[in-house]
Amino acid sequence: MSKLIVNSYEEFASHLGEKLGESEWLLVDQERINLFADATLDHQWIHVDTERAKVESPYKSTIAHGYLTLSLLPYLWEQVIEVNNIKMLVNYGMDKMRFGQAVVTGSRVRLVASLHNIQNLRGICKAEVAFTIEIENQRKPALEGIASFLYYFK
């Protein structure tokens, strides 16, 4: 899978409306879920109690936190695009974000991204990326939305 290389605002803008790429598949295992629970202090049983989940969960398994799925976005985004000649990148916001279905422990996810909108704001590039985090072998995605990034080109 090849990464899109962008060296300037103009190069970035030339991809408006296009699919930018997709990441590799990433395993969401119980260890990752437990570490996220520890980091966020969210130890709800549906995420961390594997024995209880086998009995009481409609998924018959633990599931990833929705915000864990969202937090994978920067890591997966780096696999899709490399933006050069920047001083800084800032996460700016999220729009129209919705969770489509739970990520059952042991599933693999990937990012599919396209350039929804791009603006030059007095030398700062605001890129709005339509993203989908897919679950392997599932029709319905885990998460969809539009992520806004600010790229400060040199």
Side-chain angles (χ1 to χ4, degrees):
M1 213 166 294
S2 64
K3 184 188 286 195
L4 176 64
I5 308 293
V6 171
N7 294 302
S8 68
Y9 172 84
E10 293 74 23
E11 280 184 29
F12 211 161
S14 74
H15 295 282
L16 181 60
E18 295 178 6
K19 179 179 173 181
L20 300 174
E22 54 194 40
S23 71
E24 297 290 329
W25 291 103
L26 177 70
L27 177 66
V28 180
D29 60 11
Q30 191 63 53
E31 180 182 12
R32 185 179 311 279
I33 292 168
N34 291 344
L35 289 168
F36 188 84
D38 289 344
T40 60
L41 307 176
D42 181 356
H43 292 93
Q44 186 183 160
W45 70 266
I46 194 86
H47 305 302
V48 297
D49 189 336
T50 56
E51 293 308 309
R52 184 175 175 188
K54 284 179 191 174
V55 177
E56 295 183 38
S57 167
Y59 307 102
K60 302 302 178 202
S61 172
T62 53
I63 60 172
H65 305 70
Y67 289 122
L68 166 54
T69 305
L70 174 61
S71 75
L72 297 172
L73 185 61
Y75 171 76
L76 299 172
W77 177 238
E78 273 189 7
Q79 295 178 26
V80 172
I81 192 168
E82 178 180 320
V83 182
N84 297 318
N85 303 314
I86 59 171
K87 297 180 274 188
M88 177 171 60
L89 164 63
V90 175
N91 294 319
Y92 187 65
M94 292 284 170
D95 293 306
K96 300 179 182 170
M97 192 184 77
R98 62 194 166 281
F99 296 100
Q101 76 169 316
V103 176
V104 175
T105 304
S107 298
R108 295 190 331 155
V109 298
R110 75 172 175 189
L111 170 68
V112 179
S114 61
L115 186 56
H116 177 73
N117 194 19
I118 190 165
Q119 296 174 301
N120 184 342
L121 306 174
R122 296 181 308 277
I124 300 166
C125 170
K126 180 182 177 190
E128 295 178 358
V129 177
F131 69 89
T132 302
I133 297 184
E134 299 179 335
I135 306 168
E136 190 173 37
N137 299 319
Q138 296 292 319
R139 182 185 59 78
K140 199 171 180 184
L143 178 61
E144 293 179 296
I146 298 173
S148 296
F149 303 107
L150 299 179
Y151 289 90
Y152 292 74
F153 282 96
K154 294 178 183 173

